[in-house]
Amino acid sequence: MMRSVRFPVSAALLRRLALASIIANVAIVVTGGAVRLTASGLGCPTWPRCTDASYVATSEMGAHGVIEFGNRMLTFAVGVIALATLLAVLAHRPRRRGLLPLAVAVFLGIPAQAVVGGITVLTNLNPWVVGLHFLASMAVIAAAYALWRRTVEPDGPTTPVVPAPLRTLARLTTLVGVSVLVVGTWVTGSGPHAGDQGAARNGLDPETISQVHADGVFLLIGLSIALVLAFRAVGATRAARAAVLLLAVELSQGVVGFVQYFTHLPAVLVGAHMLGSCLVLLAALHVQWATRERRPLTPAPLPIPTPEPATTAA
């Protein structure tokens, strides 16, 4: 009888694939932004075909067709990385707890994203659907980050390293960060970069919704400063470093946001702001993981044999 051949996957390879999945999902957010910023959102005017008669862009469609179709092709590359990561999780031994559900979530998130992207085309770039498309990408990035963190941690129980109130503050900060991302999609939906000259806007007043977005950013920065000070006060050095990183990313993102607003939204800065949104999310998740640590399982100590009492001859 022939034995089944196994292809073992090292922990190092699994970590690299999980990290590649994060990078790929961030990259497709940036390239998706390039599609919108170059007014190529309807370069392929239908979905899943590029045109009613072709699955690929044709020469008659010009540069917009090439850009939109190229972004669609990148989805397959991201999917291949997600599939490779999933297969690596299945092949890795011993398999760590929690890896498989996360790998499946990332892998299934890619075609789900493609469907949402198709709906954006079929609805002529409805700004609310475009915003949903971006937020769905954020969800996939969050799952990919959780998968990567799980590959670098030992397989053991988690232990908090900061008091419960500070863990609550960290979760609140992340929640506010997510709300800032959501409102940011509303700002985008009210602005000039619709993805196509004929695409509708969401009808919100750009100045008003931008102010709401800025207020959320100020709140987020204030909470992040509180995290830095609180973590340092309790001696949580690793968590404090993570909070400092989050604060630095937020301040950089805020500078880009204000400059793009006062320079009338140049495409390059809007693209940089989209990349910054991904980095803010990743930095916020980094803070979450820094509030606890996973310790390796230790085998139970072997029982010490009890010596038998000495016997004397009669």
Side-chain angles (χ1 to χ4, degrees):
M1 180 181 298
M2 296 181 61
R3 295 182 179 179
S4 59
V5 180
R6 291 186 178 181
F7 299 93
V9 173
S10 68
L13 176 59
L14 182 57
R15 287 194 296 270
R16 292 189 186 102
L17 286 171
L19 180 59
S21 188
I22 297 175
I23 296 172
N25 279 284
V26 171
I28 203 166
V29 169
V30 176
T31 59
V35 171
R36 179 168 56 84
L37 295 170
T38 57
S40 302
L42 295 178
C44 287
T46 188
W47 187 87
R49 295 174 182 262
C50 189
T51 69
D52 291 334
S54 174
Y55 281 99
V56 300
T58 61
S59 58
E60 292 80 7
M61 300 170 67
H64 292 321
V66 172
I67 294 172
E68 164 63 6
F69 182 72
N71 189 64
R72 292 187 183 189
M73 291 298 98
L74 283 177
T75 301
F76 289 99
V78 177
V80 168
I81 295 174
L83 176 59
T85 307
L86 174 58
L87 294 177
V89 168
L90 292 172
H92 181 64
R93 293 294 184 275
R95 185 184 304 161
R96 297 180 181 182
R97 291 177 297 176
L99 276 181
L100 185 57
L102 289 170
V104 171
V106 174
F107 176 66
L108 294 181
I110 307 305
Q113 267 293 76
V115 171
V116 177
I119 294 174
T120 64
V121 173
L122 297 177
T123 57
N124 293 320
L125 306 182
N126 181 289
W128 301 106
V129 182
V130 172
L132 177 62
H133 192 40
F134 173 80
L135 295 175
S137 292
M138 296 297 102
V140 176
I141 290 172
Y145 179 83
L147 174 63
W148 174 71
R149 287 304 300 251
R150 193 66 193 87
T151 65
V152 301
E153 294 176 329
D155 201 2
T158 58
T159 303
V161 296
V162 299
L166 297 190
R167 298 198 302 275
T168 300
L169 178 61
R171 287 191 289 268
L172 176 62
T173 303
T174 301
L175 181 62
V176 171
V178 171
S179 70
V180 168
L181 293 178
V182 172
V183 177
T185 66
W186 302 349
V187 175
T188 300
S190 69
H193 297 293
D196 186 81
Q197 294 181 353
R201 302 284 73 204
N202 59 21
L204 299 176
D205 178 63
E207 184 174 350
T208 301
I209 196 62
S210 294
Q211 183 60 57
V212 173
H213 183 58
D215 292 341
V217 171
F218 287 132
L219 175 60
L220 179 60
I221 291 174
L223 289 171
S224 300
I225 294 173
L227 280 179
V228 173
L229 298 177
F231 288 155
R232 287 181 173 176
V234 299
T237 304
R238 186 167 66 95
R241 287 198 299 264
V244 169
L245 176 62
L246 172 62
L247 180 60
V249 173
E250 290 167 352
L251 291 174
S252 300
Q253 176 75 333
V255 169
V256 174
F258 277 106
V259 172
Q260 72 168 4
Y261 179 79
F262 289 109
T263 56
H264 307 291
L265 304 176
V268 173
L269 290 182
V270 174
H273 202 55
M274 293 185 69
L275 173 60
S277 297
C278 299
L279 298 181
V280 168
L281 174 64
L282 291 171
L285 294 175
H286 180 50
V287 171
Q288 292 296 319
W289 259 261
T291 62
R292 89 289 189 282
E293 63 181 5
R294 192 180 292 272
R295 296 173 180 172
L297 293 171
T298 55
L302 295 174
I304 301 175
T306 304
E308 296 182 0
T311 57
T312 58

